[in-house]
């Protein structure tokens, strides 16, 4: 079996696809990945070829968040058209001889990937990494920039209908213009078209459950976790061995408008709890604020190994980081910035495995208060209990389902 995996987004959109790629390859399948050029090193590290799509993501996101660089001059509709076309071209070139396409990421990219599957007549699957991305009567959609949802409307089904109208307004013309250029008919509902009839949810059923009853037929596979056997760097090992378990602080692929101020706030908050600090630089470019030996800065590191050895994890609330910390039994403080992160913050708090910070801008005081909750013995005990429930077979379930789809079978929904 040959499979094409497509994603256009940040590290949190790419990492799960890498996990699925590793599993598929272990089962004897040939895998190709289409993703932003930022992640060539990540794919190269597992021996999976990258077919790059479009512009690098990191400079665009960082410039937009920090104000250091403007967004491209063309409008959103033009950028959507360019992304749909670029995705189609990249996927079409890479999908020759493939038996299925699995896609995620930005809506125009998903439309481009589905167009390739249509032209080739092969199965197409859309995957979401958090429940609130998918239409449901149990949660509202996220608002699109410049198109706020009416605050007086509380019926989630009505809000999702409005969301579909917004998606059509933002991307419909661009996507249908591209479809016409390659000989495909127009689509009336862009969101339904990209999600397809039976989207997958690659999130842990205990950490991020799909709630029934629902109007959408969703298959929850469990989170897609990439096995990581890399040893921790010698400097990190030495720091861990030099004292009590530190608090890890990192915001992944989230840039920060005031990274120096955020670094000072979080380090002072951790010190106020009498703890050492392990700072992850990430896309926020966090650094140390002085040369005291109770702090250590790290770059890319094996979080699966590291989180088992820390007192708590302070992070942005991406699906991957939340799942990795939960699986390690590490208490969490989630400082949500955007997208799915408020959802994961709410789940961490609801499960009693940490604290949800109020808002995206931590201060020494606000973070210190959240850390008091996370570092309490009862939170550690609850995190340990929840860790035992986190499933690790998500990629195997997904690979089995994909093989069945290629073979035109109808496998049962996993328990």
């Amino acid at each position: 079996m040959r499979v094409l995996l497509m994603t256009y987004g940040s590290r949190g959109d790419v990492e799960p696809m890498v996990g699925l790629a590793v599993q598929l390859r272990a089962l004897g399948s040939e895998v190709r990945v289409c993703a932003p050029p930022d992640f060539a090193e990540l794919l190269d590290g597992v021996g999976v070829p990258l077919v790059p799509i479009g512009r690098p993501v990191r400079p665009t996101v960082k410039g937009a968040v920090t104000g250091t660089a403007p967004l491209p001059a063309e409008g959103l509709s033009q950028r959507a058209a360019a992304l749909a076309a670029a995705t189609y071209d990249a996927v079409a070139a890479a999908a020759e001889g493939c038996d299925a396409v699995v896609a995620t990421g930005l809506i125009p990219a998903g439309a481009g990937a589905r167009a390739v599957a249509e032209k080739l007549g092969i199965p197409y699957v859309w995957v979401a990494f958090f429940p609130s991305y998918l239409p449901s009567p149990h949660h509202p959609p996220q608002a699109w920039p410049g198109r706020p949802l009416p605050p007086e409307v509380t019926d989630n089904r009505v809000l999702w209908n409005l969301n579909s109208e917004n998606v059509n307004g933002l991307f419909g013309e661009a996507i249908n213009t591209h479809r016409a250029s390659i000989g495909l008919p127009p689509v009336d509902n862009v969101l339904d078209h990209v999600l397809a009839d039976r989207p997958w949810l690659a999130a842990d059923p205990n950490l991020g459950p799909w709630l029934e009853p629902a109007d959408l037929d969703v298959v929850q596979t469990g989170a897609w976790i990439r096995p990581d056997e890399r040893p921790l760097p010698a400097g990190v090992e030495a720091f861990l061995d030099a004292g009590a378990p530190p608090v890890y602080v990192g915001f992944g692929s989230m840039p920060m408008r005031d990274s120096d101020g955020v670094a000072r706030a979080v380090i002072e908050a951790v010190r106020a709890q009498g703890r050492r600090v392990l700072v992850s630089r990430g896309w926020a470019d966090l650094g140390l604020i002085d040369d005291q030996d109770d702090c250590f800065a790290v770059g890319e590191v094996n979080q699966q190994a590291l989180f088992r050895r820390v007192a708590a994890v302070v992070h942005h609330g991406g699906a991957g980081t939340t799942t990795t910390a939960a699986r390690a039994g590490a208490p969490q403080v989630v400082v949500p910035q955007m997208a799915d992160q408020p959802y994961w913050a709410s789940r961490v708090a609801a499960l009693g495995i940490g604290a949800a910070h109020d808002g995206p801008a931590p201060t020494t005081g606000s973070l210190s208060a959240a850390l008091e909750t996370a570092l309490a013995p009862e939170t550690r005990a609850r995190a340990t209990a929840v860790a035992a429930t986190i499933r690790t077979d998500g990629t195997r379930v997904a690979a089995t389902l994909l093989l069945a789809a290629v073979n035109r079978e109808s496998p049962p929904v996993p328990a």
Side-chain angles (χ1 to χ4, degrees), residues 8 10 15 48 77 108 114 119 124 130 152 171 179 188 204 235 241 294 300 305 337 340 343 354 360 396 399:
Y8 193 86
S10 68
E15 180 77 21
V48 175
S77 180
R114 181 160 191 189
K119 296 286 279 188
Y124 160 92
F130 56 102
E152 69 275 9
F171 306 123
R179 288 177 63 83
D188 296 327
D204 183 78
D241 291 341
D294 65 341
E300 167 67 19
Q337 304 296 304
D340 60 326
Y343 170 81
R396 182 185 60 78

Side-chain angles (χ1 to χ4, degrees), residues 231-248 276-279 293-296 298 301-312:
L232 294 174
V236 175
E237 286 281 6
F239 181 74
L240 292 170
D241 291 341
V247 171
Y248 170 96
R276 302 188 304 149
V277 193
L278 194 59
V279 177
D293 62 5
D294 65 341
C295 291
F296 191 84
V298 299
V301 69
N302 180 351
Q303 292 184 342
Q304 294 175 25
L306 179 60
F307 287 179
R308 293 195 293 266
R309 300 176 63 182
V310 300

